Amino acid sequence: ILSFNKSITLNHIHYNYPNSSRTALKDINMIIPAKTTVGLIGTTGCGKTTTVDIILGLLSAQKGTLEVDDKVITKKNTRAWQKSIGYVPQQIYLSDDTIANNIAFGIDPKDISQQSIERAAKLANLHDFVINELQNQYQTVVGERGIRLSGGQRQRIGIARALYHKPKVIILDEATSALDNKTEEVVMSAINKLSKNITVI
């Protein structure tokens, strides 16, 4: 895992999608200090997702550099950088499995740490609901695509999943846009609590 204690820097980033005449990003400069919360706001198609994809290392800029603690991110160290990132999409994919297995998604059941699950769930403001309202607690099966859970609960499982590996950066891609105001408040308060120890984008 790449060390990240100071800042993420986008230096004169230019990006064009293949076969598109329109420039997606033109000379983007941005510094995100570690352990801060930064919001990217703008109209549809203004380049928010492209910028996030550059930070995630999913896209490489045609010009300019992405730097973490003054170290340029290249093909060689992209994977090491990605291991520091937790990502919460707008639509959380849940498998028809237990809450525990959905939080520790993709990890071999024998390697799952219950302690890490509960730590992530507490940070995501999910633990009390699981312990007090679900008969089988973390062994509760969520149903196909999480059908037995509300939108806010699904979203908090997504946040807990992103936090399971103790990332240094958490990126929320319009992660609360499908929620009602009250649920969004609960999810956002969980996110705000994180921001003392983690960089939130």
Side-chain angles (χ1 to χ4, degrees):
I1 295 178
L2 218 62
S3 73
F4 169 49
N5 303 302
K6 292 189 286 186
S7 63
I8 300 166
T9 307
L10 278 73
N11 248 329
H12 300 289
I13 296 283
H14 291 254
Y15 188 81
N16 268 34
Y17 285 100
N19 310 321
S20 171
S21 55
R22 216 168 64 87
T23 304
L25 298 177
K26 188 177 180 184
D27 201 25
I28 299 292
N29 293 287
M30 186 189 311
I31 295 174
I32 300 171
K35 296 180 185 174
T36 60
T37 300
V38 173
L40 300 181
I41 309 164
T43 54
T44 304
C46 75
K48 298 186 297 291
T49 301
T50 309
T51 303
V52 164
D53 287 347
I54 296 267
I55 294 169
L56 283 165
L58 298 175
L59 296 176
S60 300
Q62 279 112 358
K63 270 199 230 157
T65 54
L66 166 67
E67 295 171 21
V68 175
D69 286 1
D70 304 323
K71 191 175 280 171
V72 176
I73 301 301
T74 63
K75 281 195 169 74
K76 281 186 182 149
N77 61 8
T78 296
R79 200 63 208 100
W81 166 234
Q82 288 170 335
K83 285 179 181 167
S84 302
I85 304 173
Y87 179 72
V88 185
Q90 195 172 352
Q91 292 291 328
I92 304 295
Y93 170 78
L94 295 180
S95 61
D96 189 3
D97 204 338
T98 63
I99 286 179
N101 288 349
N102 270 292
I103 291 173
F105 190 70
I107 294 168
D108 192 312
K110 69 178 189 316
D111 297 329
I112 291 174
S113 155
Q114 185 61 29
Q115 196 180 351
S116 295
I117 284 173
E118 291 185 22
R119 179 193 53 78
K122 281 173 185 165
L123 289 171
N125 208 345
L126 179 73
H127 181 72
D128 290 349
F129 161 73
V130 172
I131 294 299
N132 300 327
E133 295 185 40
L134 300 177
Q135 196 178 349
N136 297 328
Q137 299 183 335
Y138 284 97
Q139 295 313 306
T140 303
V141 174
V142 301
E144 194 72 36
R145 294 195 309 279
I147 197 84
R148 298 190 186 127
L149 300 171
S150 73
Q153 289 152 0
R154 286 197 290 270
Q155 221 50 20
R156 280 179 279 170
I157 287 177
I159 294 169
R161 179 187 291 170
L163 293 170
Y164 179 85
H165 296 286
K166 295 188 179 171
K168 295 179 177 171
V169 181
I170 188 162
I171 295 180
L172 300 117
D173 193 356
E174 296 193 30
T176 60
S177 62
L179 304 177
D180 60 81
N181 291 349
K182 187 116 189 75
T183 311
E184 183 175 22
E185 260 175 50
V186 173
V187 172
M188 282 314 295
S189 85
I191 291 160
N192 292 334
K193 276 195 205 113
L194 297 176
S195 57
K196 294 174 192 65
N197 308 309
I198 202 167
T199 307
V200 181
I201 301 172

